[in-house]
Amino acid sequence: MVFKLKDSVNQRVEHRYDHFTKLYIKREDKIHPIISGNKYRKLKYNITFIKSQGYSTLLTFGGAFSNHIAATAEAGKVYGIKTIGIIRGEELQTKIEENDTLNYAQSCGMHFKFISRANYREKNSISFIKSLKKEFGLFYTLPEGGTNEHAIKGCEEILTEADKEFDYICCPVGTGGTVAGLINCSKPSQQVFGFSALKDDFLQEDISKFVTKNNWKLNLNYHFGGYAKVNEDLIRFINKFKKEQSIQLDPVYTGKMMYGIYDLIEQSFFKKGSKILAIHTGGLQGIKGMNKLLVKKGLHVLK
Ligand SMILES: *Cc1c(COP(=O)(O)O)cnc(C)c1O
């Protein structure tokens, strides 16, 4: 990979709930400004595979603020791979200019196809893929969120040998690829907690398919109503966290996870004296778009 990457370091996070539980955050958000955090990890071996197989085009799927779409477009630009984004929501077709994520992806050369929400639900069907092949010719398909075997292999590199000192590894969950990689590279003595960013009954099953251990749990208590749903409480938490820790969290994934971790520490959920490592999976490119929505709704914005 030719990306210029910065190191991801573990940074101590202060919390005032008890003096015994130590919380650290792994700054995966720092490794690259666009292909940040887990999206770099998920693309790494996919790009290697695409190159080795001689594909010239990559097709993938995502929504209006998708970090995956932004990261894939950037990776395509860097590696000279044509990228096609199948985007959820036909109404976005005329709103590319005002959507920072899509605007950015387009500037990287991504070609879009906008489809309705109903069609998007059927995006993996054989007939739809067939129609895409007819329209675009030969391409490599990367599933929504970039999750596949290659992605999980990349995410197995997030934890280092030094991280074995942690009792708990916490991570936000969208499609489950990142947490699956973390589970696979965790020590059996460690507990891995995935914090779901969405309401989804199949996640547990999806993750199970990819993992080799059972030292993990999926927490469904902090999705705030579903994917990209936020409330004032969450926005306030993220802004306060930034002020106190000088760390920006995103409202879709890492903000919800950290809210959950603080809440669980307060409830003495974690063993006394334990060390927790939370993964900052990035996603900061989506903040501008979220703020536009918050302004429209007359709510407080992310500072
Ligand atoms: C995509 C994303 C996730 C979810 O990762 P999955 O592997 O799909 O579970 C978490 N955090 C951020 C910031 C993301 O962009």
Side-chain angles (χ1 to χ4, degrees):
M1 294 288 268
V2 298
F3 296 132
K4 285 214 176 57
L5 290 187
K6 296 217 177 99
D7 284 343
S8 127
V9 296
N10 296 342
Q11 186 175 339
R12 178 85 187 262
V13 177
E14 301 299 336
H15 59 83
R16 52 178 88 87
Y17 300 120
D18 72 58
H19 300 298
F20 306 108
T21 314
K22 292 198 174 70
L23 175 60
Y24 288 77
I25 186 163
K26 188 181 274 298
R27 301 296 306 272
E28 291 278 301
D29 58 312
K30 290 279 196 194
I31 62 182
H32 189 280
I34 301 295
I35 315 174
S36 86
N38 65 345
K39 296 304 183 282
Y40 163 74
R41 305 287 181 184
K42 296 173 86 169
L43 281 164
K44 180 178 171 185
Y45 290 109
N46 274 296
I47 300 280
T48 310
F49 183 77
I50 289 169
K51 285 289 178 190
S52 74
Q53 301 294 307
Y55 284 101
S56 60
T57 307
L58 185 171
L59 179 140
T60 194
F61 309 87
F65 304 108
S66 170
N67 299 322
H68 168 63
I69 288 291
T72 303
E74 168 83 18
K77 185 178 81 177
V78 173
Y79 283 94
I81 300 164
K82 275 188 231 150
T83 53
I84 300 168
I86 307 300
I87 309 295
R88 177 174 173 271
E90 282 168 316
E91 76 284 358
L92 293 166
Q93 190 137 16
T94 53
K95 294 185 185 154
I96 299 174
E97 295 304 313
E98 55 195 270
N99 180 301
D100 294 291
T101 302
L102 296 179
N103 204 5
Y104 179 79
Q106 183 165 268
S107 77
C108 292
M110 183 176 264
H111 176 84
F112 298 130
K113 181 181 173 70
F114 295 89
I115 62 174
S116 69
R117 283 169 172 71
N119 286 346
Y120 194 83
R121 277 193 289 277
E122 301 300 319
K123 65 185 175 302
N124 296 323
S125 72
I126 293 168
S127 62
F128 183 62
I129 298 291
K130 242 188 186 165
S131 75
L132 290 176
K133 293 243 149 98
K134 215 169 161 189
E135 184 171 351
F136 297 113
L138 185 68
F139 54 76
Y140 175 77
T141 312
L142 195 52
E144 183 176 38
T147 291
N148 60 13
E149 283 162 55
H150 300 299
I152 289 165
K153 183 176 166 199
C155 292
E156 288 171 4
E157 295 175 353
I158 294 175
L159 296 180
T160 66
E161 206 35 43
D163 295 331
K164 64 174 187 280
E165 62 166 331
F166 290 99
D167 303 292
Y168 303 98
I169 311 292
C170 297
C171 157
V173 174
T175 59
T178 307
V179 77
L182 288 167
I183 294 163
N184 290 346
C185 70
S186 65
K187 303 285 170 200
S189 59
Q190 294 178 314
Q191 285 255 33
V192 182
F193 290 125
F195 289 79
S196 182
L198 44 114
K199 264 201 250 176
D200 189 324
D201 300 332
F202 302 103
L203 262 180
Q204 182 83 24
E205 242 174 83
D206 291 347
I207 298 169
S208 303
K209 277 186 231 153
F210 285 114
V211 297
T212 52
K213 297 195 190 77
N214 53 16
N215 58 337
W216 61 280
K217 281 205 172 69
L218 181 67
N219 186 315
L220 291 157
N221 296 330
Y222 301 100
H223 58 58
F224 288 80
Y227 181 72
K229 297 266 185 349
V230 298
N231 65 18
E232 292 270 309
D233 203 20
L234 179 66
I235 302 295
R236 207 177 307 119
F237 173 82
I238 293 172
N239 286 337
K240 188 158 178 260
F241 188 86
K242 184 176 177 185
K243 204 166 148 203
E244 292 176 354
Q245 315 288 342
S246 302
I247 299 172
Q248 177 76 65
L249 301 172
D250 83 292
V252 180
Y253 294 105
T254 54
K256 293 181 180 180
M257 166 190 69
M258 195 53 82
Y259 187 103
I261 294 172
Y262 267 47
D263 199 39
L264 291 172
I265 293 176
E266 195 176 1
Q267 296 169 28
S268 305
F269 171 85
F270 299 103
K271 269 191 324 248
K272 215 173 193 161
S274 57
K275 286 179 89 172
I276 306 165
L277 180 64
I279 313 297
H280 193 319
T281 43
L284 303 180
Q285 69 85 29
I287 289 177
K288 268 203 247 168
M290 177 61 81
N291 272 344
K292 283 185 187 167
L293 276 184
L294 292 171
V295 167
K296 260 190 207 159
K297 290 184 182 165
L299 299 174
H300 288 109
V301 296
L302 292 151
K303 298 217 173 78

